[in-house]
Amino acid sequence: MDRTAGKVMSMREAVAAFVHDGDTVSLEGFTHLVPTAAGHEIIRQGRRDLTVVRMTADIVVDQMLAAGCVTRLVSSFVGNSSAGSLGELRRRIEHADPEPLAYEEYSHYGMVCRYIAGAQRLPFHPLRSYAGSDLPGVNPGIRKVTSPYPAADGTVEEIYVVPPVNPDVTIIHAQRADRRGNTQIWGLTGIQAEAVYAAEKAVVVVEELVADEVVRADPNRTAVPAHAVDAVVVCPRGAHPSFAQGYYDRDNAFYRSWSAISKDPVRLREWLAEWVYGTADHAEYVAKLGEEFWASLAVGEALSGPVNYGRRL
């Protein structure tokens, strides 16, 4: 496949092509740019036995669990983004209800190191921050190795390491990309680039498709270059209920409501039936919420100034 040719697909096409039963799927986006619409399409297509890798496992993971898509979760945080709890995830972990969930836990920085090791095809990545932590006691993947270099005092040092993560596919959400997949992100950039490079395949979901000239005019915003991308999906408002910096705000009311929805298994499945299975795609989900709703999440302008990339005449 020519990884620099035009790669624009629908969400349905991209999930069908790159997400398969039994895959390890990374869904990354920190605080904003959460790939919610991609998670919903995975649910619609009935994927099963997935290992989901997501640093901050949140509402979209809870929804995929309730839909029966996920059997293993690799994460460094689980929760409803400071607004409550994740009912389905808690039932799985605390009571194996309706079935158990294999859960592999790391710290935030431990997950960052796993993505870096995966992106660089390293066998492991060292870090100091597990000293004094209980995590090595519950996760056998966190191990110690002997440093080949002496410590500052000349002694032999044992240091913690984490293994690489190499997903079958990474899916990220971003503000914009060109047709070849040069992807631009601003605001919180998270670990998306490393997650893409760590994966065998990568799908980028964007708010808008822009001309090549737009990307070339602002090259430092290109977090993920075209050669690392296999598919570009144009999906406006596809990060809801999270936000996309400069496009729409966070739906705080939905985050607050999710605890009550997910606490009740019947109510949670009714929500999925109406808002995911009951919509053909994300465009229909967006239309169902209505323009008055989206107007309430509108953002004003806070423009970033132009810079001069000039060269000698």
Side-chain angles (χ1 to χ4, degrees), residues 215-228:
V215 171
R216 285 199 294 267
D218 197 4
N220 275 31
R221 290 197 212 279
T222 303
V224 179
H227 70 261

Side-chain angles (χ1 to χ4, degrees), residues 229-251:
V229 175
D230 294 278
V232 177
V233 174
V234 183
C235 186
R237 298 165 173 169
H240 177 264
S242 76
F243 65 104
Q245 189 74 49
Y247 289 76
Y248 47 90
D249 205 355
R250 187 178 190 265
D251 185 357

Side-chain angles (χ1 to χ4, degrees), residues 145-150 156-159:
V145 299
T146 302
S147 171
Y149 304 104
V156 174
E157 184 176 15
E158 296 286 314
I159 191 165

Side-chain angles (χ1 to χ4, degrees), residues 57-160:
D58 50 9
I59 286 175
V60 69
V61 173
D62 213 29
Q63 293 167 353
M64 292 173 70
L65 278 167
C69 300
V70 183
T71 56
R72 175 177 289 274
L73 174 64
V74 181
S75 179
S76 53
F77 165 88
V78 295
N80 181 6
S81 302
S82 302
S85 194
L86 302 176
E88 185 70 18
L89 189 144
R90 291 192 65 165
R91 284 188 291 274
R92 298 291 180 102
I93 291 179
E94 295 176 356
H95 306 293
D97 175 24
E99 57 187 19
L101 171 68
Y103 179 47
E104 192 175 333
E105 183 179 8
Y106 295 86
S107 63
H108 268 8
Y109 186 58
M111 286 295 298
V112 169
C113 290
R114 293 200 68 195
Y115 277 127
I116 292 172
Q120 298 181 10
R121 299 308 189 262
L122 294 171
F124 56 80
H125 198 289
L127 67 167
R128 295 187 183 278
S129 56
Y130 285 130
S133 166
D134 291 334
L135 276 177
V138 298
N139 185 345
I142 301 169
R143 302 178 186 178
K144 276 188 172 181
V145 299
T146 302
S147 171
Y149 304 104
D153 61 3
T155 60
V156 174
E157 184 176 15
E158 296 286 314
I159 191 165
Y160 282 106

Side-chain angles (χ1 to χ4, degrees), residues 173-257:
H173 197 95
Q175 278 102 336
R176 67 191 186 196
D178 64 22
R179 61 190 174 83
R180 286 187 287 268
N182 291 300
T183 302
Q184 298 196 324
I185 300 174
W186 55 95
L188 292 163
T189 54
I191 198 71
Q192 284 95 311
E194 291 82 358
V196 164
Y197 275 113
E200 180 67 23
K201 301 289 183 181
V203 175
V204 172
V205 184
V206 293
E207 291 294 318
E208 61 174 327
L209 194 70
V210 295
D212 299 356
E213 294 76 27
V214 173
V215 171
R216 285 199 294 267
D218 197 4
N220 275 31
R221 290 197 212 279
T222 303
V224 179
H227 70 261
V229 175
D230 294 278
V232 177
V233 174
V234 183
C235 186
R237 298 165 173 169
H240 177 264
S242 76
F243 65 104
Q245 189 74 49
Y247 289 76
Y248 47 90
D249 205 355
R250 187 178 190 265
D251 185 357
N252 291 311
F254 183 84
Y255 278 97
R256 288 192 294 269
S257 71

